[in-house]
Every structure is written in C-alpha cells, then in structure tokens.
Amino acid sequence: MKYLLIFSFFLFCKFSYGTGQVPDYLVYKGDTLAIFSNPLEKYFEKFGKRELIDFVGCGSTACWRGYKAIWELKGDNLYLVQVTSCHNSCGLEIKNADLKKMFGTDIVFADWFSGKIIVPQGERVQYIHMGYASIYKKELHISFKDGIRTNEKTISNEKIANKIRLQKRQREIALKVQDTLFYQVKKAIVWDTIKTPFYDLCDEKYILTFNKKGKLKKVWVDYESETTKEKREEWWWNITDDRKCRRTIKKALKPINISYLDLPKKKIELPFEIFYDRKTGKLELWKEMWMEE
C-alpha cells in the first residue's frame, strides 16, 4: 500500500489527550531528548491533510497522533529526520514514512514550524495522566520562527515542585494518622443523640493544621470552597456556627503529637472527615478515595 492515511481516530489527538502521550524526540547537543511538542502537527494543519507516505505503524490511546517523529537541531535550524511507529510490538511489520517521497529529501528543514519545543528536564515531580501535562523540575523552552531557532531559555518549576512534594508528604502522613485521630475523637467526645441534639454533633469534614513540632494548632471546617464568595462564607461559618465544633475537635485531639513521623520543616494540613450515622448510632471515619488505594 503506497499511501497510508492516519485515520480520524488519530485526528482526535488535535482536540483531546486523555492519556499520557508518547513523545517525539529531539537530537540536541549530542543527546536524544524527549520533547513535549509535536511540530509535525503544524505541517498537517498548514496543508490540511494527514498523510504519511509508505508509513506502517501503530498508535494507541497513549499516542493519538499515530506516529513518533525524530527531530534534530543543527545550528539554529530544525530538521525532521524520521517518522516511525509509536510502538514496535503491535503485530505489524513497521515501516517508517518515506520522507523523500513526501518532501523530496531524507532530512527535512521544518520551515512550516513556528512555536516552542518544550524539553522536560530533571526529576519528574508529578505524573499527570493527560497529554504532556506531567510536571518536571525544569523545562527547556526553544522558540522557532519558520523552522529557525530564535530563542531558548530554561524555566524552573522548583516552586510548584516543592508544593507538590509537600502535598505528597501530607497525603502520606494523613494516611498514617487517620485511624489514630479517629480513635481519639471517638473516645474523647460523647456521640449520643439522646444527650446531644443531632444538629450539635460535630461530624464534619475538617482540615487539621499541625506545626513542624507535630502539635495541632488549628481546626477548620472544610466546605471545599472555590470562589471568593464561597470562601468568605466558609470563613463566616467557621467563626460563628462551627466555632464550637472546631474547639471540641481541637480539645479532643490535644494529646496527639505526630512529630514521630519525620514532618516537613513547616506546617502541614491534613484532611479529617467523620460522619455520625443516626440510624446505627455509630461514628464513622470517612476516608478520601486515595486513602483506600
């Protein structure tokens, strides 16, 4: 088959990447680097047809575009040097696209490409199962105009990396202490609707703030507010109607110290959600989905 069209299944890549994607690669300063960019897509957009001559390869949900391109930066010029299959083991006899038939040369100057090539660098601090959304410690941004490099700079993601590391550590700590916190609250507070009206029971979703020495410093009812208005309302309820429950939970957990868990050198915030089942008369610990994994 002389021509193989990349079917509409792969056209979906233009609009949505619901899965982490196989990257293209760039040969740069002697290294072959994964890139979070697909310059060949600009070519398809410009000429309005997705066609790779003599190409046989396999795509997948991890490679919606249906191919993997290899690029090389020579001087300031960007060249396409190979278009191959996303995957090698797929039951087909893999055949690279014939660049000479497509462009008249085996090494193609990418004069159609204007934009950025993003090269992830260093530690991957968070994997995100969508396109090229995973976060790395650094990124090299190389800008092009008509296939010619015009600028490059390194972007540090250190601040967001530190935030992600803290979030991960808080999740780990929360997972370890949930049962201990629940036992203490269950023991120290009277959970009885005969003695306490149900509307005064303190079964809520809380955010517990511990200092770096492992002592509980703040209890806050979490309404999961997003907008400014919602956040203002959350603050109001916390200092009025929820104030008694916040104090009750804080008093119950006062004996708890979690410094044995090798805490970060800053305050941490842990989720803690309890629910009183009025039918069974039992207090339950509600764990978030990631705690059940």
Side-chain angles (χ1 to χ4, degrees):
M1 183 177 181
K2 186 175 181 181
Y3 295 90
L4 180 69
L5 294 178
I6 305 175
F7 295 101
S8 59
F9 172 76
F10 300 117
L11 285 172
F12 185 66
C13 71
K14 187 175 178 181
F15 305 103
S16 174
Y17 290 126
T19 305
Q21 295 295 295
V22 173
D24 281 0
Y25 287 87
L26 174 68
V27 179
Y28 177 71
K29 294 183 178 180
D31 291 328
T32 302
L33 308 171
I35 60 175
F36 283 177
S37 311
N38 305 116
L40 191 54
E41 294 300 302
K42 293 287 188 180
Y43 175 82
F44 293 141
E45 290 174 12
K46 182 175 181 178
F47 293 98
K49 185 167 62 173
R50 298 179 66 83
E51 184 176 69
L52 297 173
I53 297 178
D54 290 351
F55 175 78
V56 179
C58 302
S60 68
T61 56
C63 191
W64 285 110
R65 66 192 183 280
Y67 65 86
K68 179 173 61 182
I70 312 299
W71 306 86
E72 186 171 358
L73 187 59
K74 295 182 177 182
D76 287 327
N77 293 345
L78 179 66
Y79 292 90
L80 174 63
V81 296
Q82 188 180 90
V83 178
T84 188
S85 176
C86 298
H87 311 288
N88 294 324
S89 302
C90 59
L92 296 178
E93 185 177 341
I94 303 301
K95 188 175 181 181
N96 295 343
D98 192 322
L99 298 183
K100 193 165 188 178
K101 290 181 181 178
M102 291 177 63
F103 298 98
T105 179
D106 291 325
I107 300 177
V108 185
F109 174 52
D111 59 357
W112 65 84
F113 180 66
S114 295
K116 286 183 181 179
I117 285 180
I118 298 175
V119 184
Q121 296 181 323
E123 173 194 2
R124 186 179 74 186
V125 295
Q126 185 174 38
Y127 172 72
I128 299 176
H129 197 56
M130 182 176 292
Y132 297 131
S134 292
I135 299 172
Y136 285 74
K137 188 174 181 180
K138 294 189 297 183
E139 296 174 358
L140 175 63
H141 289 205
I142 309 174
S143 298
F144 292 88
K145 174 68 174 176
D146 299 327
I148 300 173
R149 175 173 56 181
T150 58
N151 188 38
E152 69 175 63
K153 60 181 178 180
T154 299
I155 305 297
S156 174
N157 291 325
E158 190 63 32
K159 286 185 178 180
I160 190 170
N162 288 336
K163 184 177 180 180
I164 290 169
R165 293 188 191 104
L166 179 60
Q167 289 172 344
K168 287 181 179 179
R169 184 61 186 139
Q170 287 180 153
R171 285 160 64 104
E172 293 169 356
I173 294 169
L175 186 59
K176 291 179 179 179
V177 302
Q178 288 289 303
D179 290 331
T180 300
L181 298 174
F182 179 65
Y183 173 79
Q184 183 65 24
V185 164
K186 188 176 180 181
K187 181 182 70 171
I189 299 174
V190 176
W191 300 94
D192 186 343
T193 53
I194 295 176
K195 298 179 180 179
T196 306
F198 74 89
Y199 51 80
D200 278 342
L201 289 173
C202 296
D203 54 336
E204 301 280 3
K205 182 176 182 181
Y206 296 96
I207 296 295
L208 308 179
T209 302
F210 289 82
N211 65 18
K212 61 184 179 181
K213 295 182 180 180
K215 295 291 291 182
L216 179 63
K217 301 301 291 182
K218 180 180 176 182
V219 175
W220 195 255
V221 178
D222 183 15
Y223 287 89
E224 299 181 337
S225 303
E226 295 182 359
T227 66
T228 301
K229 180 181 178 181
E230 289 172 343
K231 290 177 180 178
R232 281 199 294 260
E233 290 175 350
E234 177 177 314
W235 175 82
W236 174 255
W237 288 116
N238 266 275
I239 65 169
T240 55
D241 290 35
D242 295 325
R243 189 176 184 183
K244 181 179 178 181
C245 280
R246 290 172 49 226
R247 289 181 171 180
T248 299
I249 296 296
K250 187 175 182 180
K251 182 179 179 181
L253 294 177
K254 188 175 181 180
I256 299 293
N257 187 301
I258 61 172
S259 58
Y260 65 92
L261 289 173
D262 187 25
L263 303 176
K265 303 300 182 183
K266 58 178 65 179
K267 69 178 183 181
I268 59 172
E269 296 180 343
L270 308 181
F272 180 62
E273 185 169 6
I274 49 179
F275 173 74
Y276 184 81
D277 190 326
R278 289 159 181 80
K279 292 182 179 179
T280 64
K282 292 182 179 180
L283 184 69
E284 299 176 3
L285 172 63
W286 281 19
K287 296 184 179 180
E288 296 185 17
M289 287 181 63
W290 58 264
M291 294 185 186
E292 302 291 352
E293 297 175 355

